[in-house]
Amino acid sequence: MKINDSTVVSLCYQLIVEEGDQSVVIDERKSQDPVEFVYGCGMLLPAVEEALANKTVGYKNSLLLPAEKAFGEYKPELEQWLPRAHFPKNVELKVGMKFQTQGPSEDVISAIVKEIKEDEVLLDGNHPLAGAQVRFELEVLRVREATDEEIATGQVQKRFH
């Protein structure tokens, strides 16, 4: 069966950041605990979905993605210093903490604390992997027809056994 918009896919992968001559695995799902998703519902990066289109069980690929096809270019304008008073007093701020905040166009965005000063906090709204070239090592384990409910909701209801 080929992968298309009416299928559920079981996939194992490694997500590797390419930094100069070093490669660092930052996420992986092994065959014992694969990710299962309704294909075409936007769960994966578009470039990864494109690579999986019309493939079948057993398909393997090493997919190298530049930043713009992965998690986007780093945008300095998404960094912002905020007064410490904007944060709850009972929360001990730490570099690396994640917050949800309102973006410039009033949408909700996630931000990470990058730096803390006595009266200011630097938040970064970029994806943690923005600006990075990444590689996906992919392997399709199973493919099945999605149910009508799965197609409608984009959520896998019936797991592979």
Side-chain angles (χ1 to χ4, degrees):
M1 172 178 290
K2 290 185 178 184
I3 296 172
N4 62 52
D5 288 347
S6 63
T7 58
V8 171
V9 179
S10 177
L11 180 74
C12 60
Y13 68 87
Q14 283 189 321
L15 171 56
I16 301 157
V17 173
E18 301 287 342
E19 296 174 347
D21 60 348
Q22 291 191 352
S23 298
V24 180
V25 176
I26 59 164
D27 189 22
E28 83 180 306
R29 295 292 290 266
K30 296 184 179 191
S31 59
Q32 301 90 333
D33 183 32
V35 62
E36 294 180 353
F37 60 95
V38 179
Y39 180 82
C41 288
M43 185 175 163
L44 304 179
L45 294 172
V48 175
E49 282 206 355
E50 287 172 25
L52 293 173
N54 297 311
K55 302 304 188 277
T56 58
V57 170
Y59 172 75
K60 292 181 182 181
N61 192 9
S62 180
L63 189 62
L64 186 63
L65 300 177
E68 64 272 8
K69 291 207 175 212
F71 299 96
E73 295 292 344
Y74 192 85
K75 297 176 182 171
E77 65 271 18
L78 293 179
E79 288 186 356
Q80 183 176 9
W81 284 100
L82 295 175
R84 175 63 175 93
H86 278 65
F87 297 86
K89 294 185 186 320
N90 61 343
V91 174
E92 182 185 347
L93 294 177
K94 296 180 182 175
V95 171
M97 281 180 99
K98 295 179 184 173
F99 285 91
Q100 288 202 331
T101 187
Q102 196 169 6
S105 58
E106 299 191 14
D107 52 336
V108 175
I109 61 170
S110 294
I112 297 173
V113 175
K114 281 191 77 172
E115 191 176 332
I116 303 168
K117 294 184 178 177
E118 190 167 327
D119 58 350
E120 288 184 305
V121 178
L122 179 60
L123 288 183
D124 184 354
N126 285 287
H127 187 282
L129 295 177
Q133 176 173 274
V134 299
R135 182 167 35 98
F136 282 91
E137 297 292 333
L138 307 169
E139 181 179 2
V140 175
L141 301 176
R142 292 178 285 282
V143 180
R144 67 165 172 81
E145 285 293 327
T147 65
D148 290 341
E149 183 179 356
E150 289 170 330
I151 293 168
T153 64
Q155 300 293 314
V156 175
Q157 305 296 319
K158 182 176 78 171
R159 301 278 179 198
F160 286 97
H161 297 292

